Amino acid sequence: MSSSKTKNDICWEALFEKYNILNQINNNGYYKILARDIKKCREPRLMCKFDHISQLPKIFKKNNLRLLALSRTEYIIGTFEVFQKLHYSDEQHLQIKSLPFHIESIQPSDLYSESISLHAAHISGMFHDVLNIKQNDMFFATVSGRMGSGNFDFFVNDVSNEMKHKISITGAQIEIDAAYETKDAFIIVEAKKQKVNDFNIRQLYYPYKTWRNKLNKEIVPVFFTVSNDIFSIFVYKFQDDNIFNSIKCIEQKHYLLTDEHIDMVEVIELCKKIKIKPEPQDVPFPQANSLERVIDLLSLLYEERLERTEITELYDFTSRQTDYYCNIGRYLGLIKKVREKDGIYYFLSERGQHIMSLPYRRKYLSIFEVIFEHGPFNEGFLWWIKQGKTISVEQVVELIEKYGHSLSESTKYRRAESLIAWLGSIDSLINRR
């Protein structure tokens, strides 16, 4: 058994073997599986939650398979195209919004839950702006949570060819993170607490079809993410109500809930005056290119500790990425790890908890401070600045070796590329506007 396999990988491989699923799909084009049969191995709510391509079990990825819920008790497996790539536009053009002055229960420094982030976006006027709703028009939060879908049919594209599969839904469970209603429209929102590469169209299409059959108003599907304090709102349209893959993004906008600014000069001075700490010996040198995703992980852990497989299965991480990003948090001293009988858990250190509770400007300056306490990043940043925001991989490899990291030749170069990517991320975080 490979140690890189998740619980879902193991259980799905067992189910594929037990029910001869691959042969059934080859012969019939699909396989229907009951929730009670899945539950014999693991809870269906954990086994069937594939919000992103990265969450698909290995056997699904290998055979180009996807899964859709048909009802509360049955699922269908086949070569369906169910994921939509998410393309973020240039986030340098961020709009600044603010909360009404009399609101005290929501603070910009404490927006780590989906529900609070949605409330903040609503009352600050972000949804009004992206949906072209006048500020004084009636715009109310209405339904949310789990509910039944009712019955409907649709066609979904095949992953590998131009054919379409007909799917019939009979009372599947749907979940709406937020919905808003105006005089003329009903807006359905799917929310994520992180920047994502893609999403499962089902999250918008099933609620869309459900409420399209109930209301006479226009139904507007919206995808919403909060990452590194940036609120991103994507407005979609289904060009054909009966075709799952007819989804099209018609608008996207990005917002900050602060007018605080970080100046490059003060970041350079901060870097120069920081005392460099000894490099940790029990954690590998950072080996992932996205500083933004590190901060997303800190945000995820702010409200609760998470077991390793939970991070992999519930968020847009592969098993390997979970290890990489959790280890980066440990390298920075912001995440701690504990091994218990039922798994490995990660949680924020006292310093991590404190930093993530700070207002926008102080939070990011504190994150930069933590990074610059590490010699390769400190000297690398100053070299990068001195050389006109450029630095060679060879220069960074020299720094990694200088600070005692013994790595193979190819590994050193990959780690150097990660450090260079972080310098670009720091520059982006400073120059947001």
Side-chain angles (χ1 to χ4, degrees):
M1 184 188 303
S2 170
S3 60
S4 66
K5 288 183 181 179
T6 66
K7 294 175 183 177
N8 275 358
D9 288 329
I10 295 165
C11 287
W12 274 114
E13 286 179 13
L15 289 170
F16 268 66
E17 183 176 356
K18 181 176 181 179
Y19 296 108
N20 200 19
I21 291 175
L22 287 179
N23 280 341
Q24 297 274 10
I25 292 172
N26 288 335
N27 292 335
N28 305 318
Y30 62 86
Y31 181 77
K32 294 182 180 180
I33 186 166
L34 295 174
R36 67 168 180 260
D37 292 328
I38 297 172
K39 192 173 182 178
K40 291 173 184 176
C41 191
R42 200 176 184 218
E43 282 292 333
R45 63 182 176 83
L46 299 174
M47 288 279 281
C48 301
K49 184 176 172 60
F50 308 138
D51 292 347
H52 312 286
I53 291 175
S54 62
Q55 295 172 336
L56 287 171
K58 292 180 184 296
I59 197 164
F60 278 72
K61 291 177 182 175
K62 181 179 178 180
N63 295 282
N64 230 2
L65 297 175
R66 309 290 188 259
L67 176 144
L68 286 168
L70 297 177
S71 68
R72 291 176 183 267
T73 60
E74 190 175 34
Y75 298 85
I76 186 169
I77 302 170
T79 53
F80 315 128
E81 184 52 81
V82 304
F83 294 103
Q84 176 77 8
K85 287 190 178 299
L86 204 62
H87 299 286
Y88 290 79
S89 65
D90 185 358
E91 292 177 351
Q92 298 301 319
H93 304 292
L94 296 169
Q95 296 189 41
I96 307 300
K97 292 290 183 180
S98 59
L99 297 170
F101 73 93
H102 61 277
I103 296 296
E104 297 181 10
S105 56
I106 297 178
Q107 296 297 320
S109 60
D110 191 15
L111 298 176
Y112 295 113
S113 76
E114 286 176 5
S115 60
I116 293 177
S117 297
L118 285 164
H119 291 321
H122 180 201
I123 64 178
S124 67
M126 294 179 195
F127 286 121
H128 289 78
D129 180 67
V130 73
L131 296 166
N132 293 313
I133 298 168
K134 293 180 181 178
Q135 198 66 36
N136 58 351
D137 283 356
M138 291 185 293
F139 182 70
F140 299 109
T142 55
V143 302
S144 64
R146 294 177 181 175
M147 59 197 75
S149 70
N151 303 337
F152 56 85
D153 299 335
F154 63 89
F155 291 92
V156 60
N157 292 352
D158 191 274
V159 170
S160 55
N161 56 50
E162 295 183 359
M163 73 174 290
K164 287 181 167 54
H165 305 266
K166 185 176 182 180
I167 305 290
S168 297
I169 305 301
T170 54
Q173 181 175 278
I174 63 173
E175 185 166 2
I176 295 176
D177 292 326
Y180 306 96
E181 194 164 348
T182 69
K183 182 170 64 74
D184 302 310
F186 182 68
I187 298 99
I188 296 166
V189 182
E190 173 65 25
K192 298 295 179 187
K193 294 194 297 179
Q194 56 177 321
K195 191 172 183 177
V196 300
N197 297 314
D198 53 60
F199 65 91
N200 194 318
I201 301 170
R202 164 191 53 78
Q203 297 171 288
L204 289 176
Y205 186 74
Y206 280 26
Y208 172 85
K209 285 287 283 187
T210 299
W211 287 94
R212 189 77 182 83
N213 293 337
K214 290 182 179 183
L215 305 178
N216 293 321
K217 298 181 177 184
E218 179 185 7
I219 311 299
V220 182
V222 170
F223 197 84
F224 171 94
T225 68
V226 181
S227 170
N228 289 245
D229 292 274
I230 294 176
F231 293 70
S232 297
I233 303 177
F234 301 80
V235 182
Y236 284 92
K237 179 181 179 63
F238 286 101
Q239 297 172 294
D240 187 322
D241 284 357
N242 297 314
I243 299 179
F244 188 87
N245 306 96
S246 67
I247 190 168
K248 180 182 180 182
C249 183
I250 58 173
E251 180 67 279
Q252 66 166 294
K253 289 190 177 181
H254 309 275
Y255 305 90
L256 272 174
L257 204 58
T258 180
D259 58 0
E260 293 185 322
H261 178 65
I262 299 172
D263 187 82
M264 177 63 84
V265 173
E266 66 182 321
V267 176
I268 294 170
E269 291 305 311
L270 174 71
C271 183
K272 287 179 177 178
K273 72 179 184 181
I274 282 176
K275 183 179 179 181
I276 295 173
K277 294 182 175 180
E279 289 290 274
Q281 300 301 308
D282 58 338
V283 187
F285 190 82
Q287 48 189 327
N289 288 0
S290 176
L291 175 57
E292 289 86 351
R293 298 208 76 184
V294 175
I295 300 172
D296 275 346
L297 178 59
L298 297 176
S299 300
L300 297 176
L301 295 174
Y302 180 73
E303 291 194 310
E304 60 179 337
R305 72 174 195 161
L306 292 171
E307 199 269 329
R308 178 182 176 277
T309 56
E310 284 184 302
I311 297 172
T312 301
E313 293 173 357
L314 297 180
Y315 300 103
D316 192 9
F317 287 111
T318 64
S319 179
R320 181 175 293 181
Q321 286 174 324
T322 297
D323 290 337
Y324 285 168
Y325 285 103
C326 287
N327 280 335
I328 289 170
R330 294 174 62 216
Y331 172 86
L332 296 174
L334 302 180
I335 291 177
K336 290 195 171 183
K337 170 184 174 182
V338 62
R339 188 181 297 273
E340 297 185 359
K341 289 182 180 179
D342 59 341
I344 297 171
Y345 286 84
Y346 294 96
F347 57 97
L348 292 189
S349 66
E350 186 175 331
R351 188 179 187 186
Q353 198 77 24
H354 170 69
I355 289 174
M356 297 307 289
S357 70
L358 293 173
Y360 175 85
R361 185 172 174 279
R362 288 174 57 199
K363 175 170 67 178
Y364 285 95
L365 286 173
S366 296
I367 290 171
F368 298 155
E369 180 178 352
V370 168
I371 294 170
F372 294 150
E373 287 173 351
H374 294 268
F377 289 89
N378 188 298
E379 289 196 41
F381 177 75
L382 294 177
W383 276 11
W384 179 75
I385 290 293
K386 185 177 180 179
Q387 296 170 171
K389 295 187 179 180
T390 183
I391 190 169
S392 69
V393 172
E394 289 74 20
Q395 284 177 303
V396 177
V397 167
E398 182 181 327
L399 287 174
I400 291 172
E401 292 174 336
K402 175 182 175 179
Y403 283 92
H405 292 281
S406 180
L407 303 169
S408 69
E409 200 67 23
S410 60
T411 302
K412 279 187 292 192
Y413 280 88
R414 288 199 299 272
R415 302 297 184 270
E417 289 169 354
S418 293
L419 189 152
I420 293 170
W422 281 35
L423 298 179
S425 295
I426 291 170
D427 192 39
S428 296
L429 290 168
I430 294 169
N431 291 300
R432 286 176 166 179
R433 282 298 180 269

